[in-house]
Amino acid sequence: MTTAPLTKRKQYTVFAGLMIGILLAMLDNMIVGTAMPTIVGDLGGLNHFAWVVTAYTLASAVSTPIWGKLSDLYGRKGMFMASIVLFLIGSALAGTSGSMTELIAYRAVQGLGAGGLMVGAMAIMAEMVPPRERGKIQGMFAAVMPVAMVGGPFLGGFITDYLDWRWAFYVNLPLGILALFVVGATLNLPKRTAGKAVIDYWGAGLLTLGIGSLVLFATWGGTEYAWGSWQIVGLGVLTVVALAAFVWVENRVAEPILPLGLFKIRNFTLASVLAFMSGFAMFGAVSFLPQYQQIVQGASATNSGLLLLPMMAGVLVFSTVAGQLTSRTGHYRSFPIIGMGVMAVGTLLLTQLDLTTSSFTSSMYIVVIGAGLGFLMGTTNLIAQNSVEMRDLGVATSTATFARSIGGSLGVAVLGSIFSSRVNDSMTSALGSAGAQLTSGGGQLSPKMIEGLPAPVRDAYLGGTVSGIQSIFLWATVFIAIGFVVSWFVKSEPLRDFTVASSSDAQESPAKPVPVLAD
């Protein structure tokens, strides 16, 4: 039996609670990105600073399919709230960090919770809204990104300049408590009975091992260890063995954490690939541009946050446009093509950054990246969700989010390795072993410290930073160009309507469509 659908007012109250959860996860990364130069100056570890982001995104990525499957089995509300609690525990611990190693470990705890925030919010929304209506709602959800990306860097800069960088983590606590209260009070979904369902722990463990080994392989190869060293070869072998074992397990368990049969669906697979590539570019831009803005352009932490405003404006405007057009016309195929093409242009423009580039010019380049992301963010989730049955909404949403997170993890790891290597090479070339000692092995160089260095040392460091920025965006351009080619293979399929949950005592009834957005 199905109950009457929620009114629009009640639906949007629920959506507000979900958006707070999304904001919680996204705001944190933006705040930390702006504070990173100061954190490195305090804790040291320039050669490991990318892991502050990578540990978070990697933990988020590997936990995302688990949260998605748990929500399919045991209910989305409980899993969503549990992920908020875990995220808050990680935030509180990160604020107490006394070394870069501790910070990286606590960021991983944060990431485990964050893995359930985005997928939980998107899966709950998908259960409430049919695909034809979902475009404009996803556009509204996508608008959280610019809010986080504008407010996060600005807040992170303010905290860094006027308070203590540890508040970049403590600030999550009141927001998280608010999210728990709103979601707990407003969200009502049908209760699920897990029955005899069994969690695929072997699959989850093998996936974590395989992805973790892959990220370490990409991060350490050619930097920490030679490509032919036993450490790198061993990581490569471990990656292949773990992922092969994961595939073997997933084809045999009753409740696979990631049903591989979904990848036989063309659009689902392509949406996952596009999400992976957009994550690679997005996290690369957000993680490394503040380094350039603060060190080369001399921006304060607060101003470097504001300098990311053009990218967020691009995301906000074009995600809204794509969502509205999808809802009105049912058409979505062209948006991934446009998004990937525009992003490739944006990353190519960013390879032109140098010692003399003005803040205005770099902002114009950044807005192009934002425009491309705006066309992609909501569309990839929509394509993945529209490709599967209602029962697989959670795992479909988690897979697209997982792919984006893995793209971000590998992007930050690989690009971070390139960036650090360029800086170290520049210092070694200009100053010999004395220069290398300033940056390798955890040198503590904050923007304020760099200003006080002797001119030859400062110039070498600035030159290395520019060389690193140019290199990482050149590789990002190549990667995104491949994504542009892939986007042309997305098929145009009708957006489906199916029954969704409308109240706490509603029973799922997939046989009878019910309109969700009531007047």
Side-chain angles (χ1 to χ4, degrees):
M1 177 176 114
T2 355
T3 63
L6 293 174
T7 65
K8 282 186 178 180
R9 179 179 178 180
K10 290 183 178 179
Q11 282 185 335
Y12 283 106
T13 302
V14 172
F15 296 154
L18 300 179
M19 290 167 67
I20 293 174
I22 295 175
L23 180 64
L24 185 67
M26 301 194 70
L27 190 66
D28 183 75
N29 249 350
M30 303 303 104
I31 293 175
V32 173
T34 309
M36 271 312 300
T38 300
I39 294 175
V40 170
D42 189 7
L43 300 180
L46 174 68
N47 53 336
H48 298 304
F49 90 92
W51 273 97
V52 176
V53 177
T54 301
Y56 180 91
T57 55
L58 178 59
S60 175
V62 298
S63 65
T64 292
I66 300 172
W67 287 113
K69 191 64 178 180
L70 288 174
S71 73
D72 282 342
L73 294 175
Y74 298 109
R76 310 205 193 281
K77 178 178 179 178
M79 293 300 103
F80 185 61
M81 295 183 71
S83 68
I84 294 175
V85 171
L86 184 58
F87 180 86
L88 295 183
I89 292 172
S91 298
L93 290 172
T96 67
S97 300
S99 68
M100 189 64 79
T101 301
E102 287 185 2
L103 179 59
I104 290 170
Y106 296 148
R107 286 281 286 166
V109 176
Q110 273 190 300
L112 291 175
L117 294 177
M118 182 69 76
V119 64
M122 297 303 293
I124 290 169
M125 184 272 291
E127 189 168 330
M128 296 177 63
V129 183
R132 186 59 185 261
E133 296 291 334
R134 204 176 297 157
K136 58 186 177 184
I137 303 300
Q138 286 188 282
M140 183 175 71
F141 274 43
V144 174
M145 177 184 287
V147 172
M149 288 186 169
V150 173
F154 179 78
L155 184 56
F158 179 85
I159 289 171
T160 303
D161 287 340
Y162 300 105
L163 298 173
D164 185 285
W165 62 261
R166 298 178 188 278
W167 281 97
F169 303 103
Y170 294 146
V171 73
N172 293 325
L173 301 182
L175 184 61
I177 292 170
L178 176 62
L180 282 172
F181 173 77
V182 173
V183 171
T186 64
L187 180 59
N188 292 300
L189 291 175
K191 295 182 179 180
R192 296 168 186 267
T193 302
K196 298 181 180 179
V198 178
I199 300 299
D200 177 20
Y201 293 110
W202 276 104
L206 289 168
L207 180 63
T208 301
L209 180 62
I211 296 300
S213 301
L214 176 61
V215 172
L216 288 173
F217 176 86
T219 303
W220 288 346
T223 54
E224 294 282 332
Y225 306 100
W227 283 109
S229 66
W230 69 265
Q231 292 93 339
I232 299 303
V233 172
L235 283 170
V237 172
L238 182 59
T239 299
V240 173
V241 171
L243 294 180
F246 170 74
V247 172
W248 186 85
V249 168
E250 296 306 275
N251 283 323
R252 285 161 177 78
V253 296
E255 293 285 353
I257 204 74
L258 185 60
L260 299 182
L262 294 179
F263 289 99
K264 296 178 181 179
I265 304 172
R266 174 174 168 176
N267 272 10
F268 177 85
T269 301
L270 291 174
S272 300
V273 171
L274 294 175
F276 175 89
M277 293 180 167
S278 65
F280 189 100
M282 178 180 70
F283 281 100
V286 171
S287 299
F288 296 102
L289 281 172
Q291 292 280 327
Y292 171 80
Q293 292 162 339
Q294 293 180 41
I295 292 172
V296 178
Q297 294 183 324
S300 67
T302 303
N303 287 338
S304 72
L306 293 177
L307 289 173
L308 291 176
L309 176 62
M311 182 167 77
M312 314 318 140
V315 173
L316 174 60
V317 171
F318 290 98
S319 64
T320 301
V321 169
Q324 290 291 338
L325 288 176
T326 299
S327 291
R328 292 178 183 178
T329 68
H331 174 78
Y332 56 83
R333 181 178 178 271
S334 62
F335 297 141
I337 298 172
I338 296 171
M340 279 295 176
V342 172
M343 282 181 66
V345 173
T347 53
L348 183 61
L349 288 172
L350 288 172
T351 64
Q352 305 304 307
L353 296 175
D354 58 30
L355 291 170
T356 62
T357 304
S358 68
S359 297
F360 175 79
T361 301
S362 60
S363 295
M364 292 301 98
Y365 296 166
I366 294 171
V367 75
V368 180
I369 293 280
L373 283 169
F375 281 113
L376 277 168
M377 290 300 291
T379 308
T380 51
N381 277 334
L382 177 64
I383 294 171
Q385 292 168 346
N386 192 59
S387 303
V388 302
E389 298 299 325
M390 178 71 172
R391 65 178 179 273
D392 291 321
L393 271 180
V395 74
T397 307
S398 68
T399 302
T401 307
F402 169 74
R404 186 176 293 109
S405 298
I406 288 297
S409 297
L410 286 175
V412 172
V414 173
L415 298 179
S417 178
I418 293 172
F419 180 81
S420 297
S421 176
R422 291 291 186 179
V423 173
N424 291 336
D425 289 348
S426 177
M427 297 294 282
T428 302
S429 175
L431 305 168
S433 59
Q437 289 176 1
L438 288 171
T439 53
S440 62
Q444 294 175 260
L445 287 175
S446 68
K448 290 183 179 179
M449 294 176 184
I450 294 169
E451 292 177 5
L453 292 173
V457 180
R458 184 175 63 252
D459 291 345
Y461 194 87
L462 295 180
T465 300
V466 168
S467 176
I469 287 291
Q470 292 173 342
S471 296
I472 64 176
F473 283 112
L474 178 60
W475 282 105
T477 300
V478 173
F479 201 73
I480 296 302
I482 297 173
F484 176 70
V485 175
V486 171
S487 65
W488 284 90
F489 292 92
V490 173
K491 293 170 59 179
S492 181
E493 296 179 344
L495 293 175
R496 297 176 295 123
D497 288 333
F498 40 65
T499 297
V500 293
S502 56
S503 74
S504 60
D505 59 350
Q507 303 295 317
E508 293 188 63
S509 179
K512 183 179 179 182
V514 178
V516 176
L517 292 177
D519 292 328

